[in-house]
Amino acid sequence: MTAPEADLFGWSVAPFTGGGYTHDVYRKGAGPGVVLIPEVPGIHPGVLGLGNHLVASGFTVAIPSLFGEPGRPVTLGYTVATLARACVAREFAAFATSKQRPVSLFLRALARDLNALTPGNGVGVIGQCFTGGFALAAAVDDSVLAPVLSQPSLPMPLTPAQRRDPGLSESELTAVADRCANEGLCALGLRFSEDKMSPGERFAALKARLGEAFEVIEIYSGPGNEYGFGRMAHSVLTDEVREVDGQPAYEARKRVVEFLTQRLSP
């Protein structure tokens, strides 16, 4: 059994401009809005499989194409080349600590736009891997009610400071923490226990700031784990999902849908 995948069938596309940037955005579905930010190398078949699952679960999904070629299957060479380009892009500030990333301004604008077009009082934002922390940065805007951080990997965790860094600026984190304390905002974080790209120190730092408002799902991927996750297991909601009850990544995907439904229902 393999992870769910899909193609671009049924997705509409149009450019969207916000925060000084323009990217194509793929949209599909009806119901409350969810911004699904792709992981590197882009809107690959696994991301589209996740998008279709969210659509089938009753959401309007908007996927911004921030890098890569939409619909293109993942290969090692394609992933490495895309990652290399993304790492040097000012928009993402891949190595900076305590940094407001320019892409967050685009994502907040997209969240506001999606909120205006969909039912309910706000939208969800799912970030993954390279874009995982962008979901929390988007939650500075009050249109975002349900940020989901799946294996957030920025800044690249090369030093202890980078491993501890939450992936957004201090002012952004303070704004999110204030929303958690005063508005009932909650966030959901997902990672594999042995994932060096998404270090446990990052989740510990976020938990210290957000407290009970930050729900963490950590899937054990150490030696001899029951479900055979490799030591490089990384993509909780795409590559590692097997649609079998009890499989931890599948159960994590179920929890994401439940979280979005609870937070976004009109």
Side-chain angles (χ1 to χ4, degrees):
M1 182 176 290
T2 59
E5 294 187 343
D7 56 25
L8 290 167
F9 178 79
W11 292 85
S12 64
V13 60
F16 178 81
T17 299
Y21 292 89
T22 299
H23 295 288
D24 281 346
V25 176
Y26 290 76
R27 300 181 191 244
K28 190 177 187 180
V34 176
V35 177
L36 174 58
I37 318 172
E39 59 197 350
V40 170
I43 305 177
H44 63 73
V47 170
L48 291 166
L50 174 59
N52 279 351
H53 179 72
L54 294 170
V55 169
S57 299
F59 299 103
T60 301
V61 179
I63 311 179
S65 182
L66 302 180
F67 36 67
E69 180 183 334
R72 180 175 174 177
V74 176
T75 64
L76 179 59
Y78 173 38
T79 300
V80 170
T82 304
L83 182 61
R85 287 191 293 271
C87 280
V88 299
R90 177 183 175 275
E91 189 175 5
F92 306 126
F95 298 95
T97 57
S98 190
K99 173 73 172 179
Q100 176 174 298
R101 290 166 168 81
V103 69
S104 66
L105 303 177
F106 171 84
L107 293 169
R108 288 171 204 160
L110 178 59
R112 288 191 297 271
D113 178 73
L114 185 61
N115 185 40
L117 298 172
T118 53
N121 297 316
V123 301
V125 181
I126 300 174
Q128 307 172 86
C129 179
F130 194 86
T131 69
F134 301 170
L136 197 61
V140 169
D141 195 280
D142 60 11
S143 65
V144 178
L145 297 183
V148 178
L149 296 70
S150 192
Q151 73 275 358
S153 303
L154 292 190
M156 291 296 189
L158 304 179
T159 68
Q162 288 169 328
R163 288 193 290 273
R164 292 190 302 269
D165 192 88
L168 62 169
S169 69
E170 175 58 31
S171 63
E172 288 173 314
L173 184 55
T174 297
V176 171
D178 286 346
R179 289 196 65 203
C180 290
N182 299 314
E183 301 176 23
L185 178 71
C186 294
L188 177 61
L190 318 168
R191 68 179 295 271
F192 284 100
S193 65
E194 310 307 301
D195 186 0
K196 300 299 190 292
M197 287 297 295
S198 183
E201 295 97 318
R202 182 164 297 151
F203 273 21
L206 287 168
K207 190 70 173 176
R209 291 295 296 274
L210 305 181
E212 293 303 310
F214 185 48
E215 177 185 345
V216 174
I217 296 175
E218 184 174 88
I219 299 172
Y220 180 64
S221 56
N225 68 85
E226 180 181 357
Y227 291 91
F229 295 117
R231 63 184 182 87
M232 302 296 287
H234 178 63
S235 297
V236 177
L237 298 177
T238 55
D239 294 352
E240 300 297 339
V241 170
R242 302 294 182 270
E243 293 182 317
V244 177
D245 285 340
Q247 200 259 6
Y250 181 53
E251 296 299 326
R253 194 184 71 175
K254 287 183 185 179
R255 175 57 190 144
V256 168
V257 171
E258 180 183 54
F259 176 73
L260 294 170
T261 301
Q262 291 169 340
R263 305 298 299 179
L264 303 181
S265 294

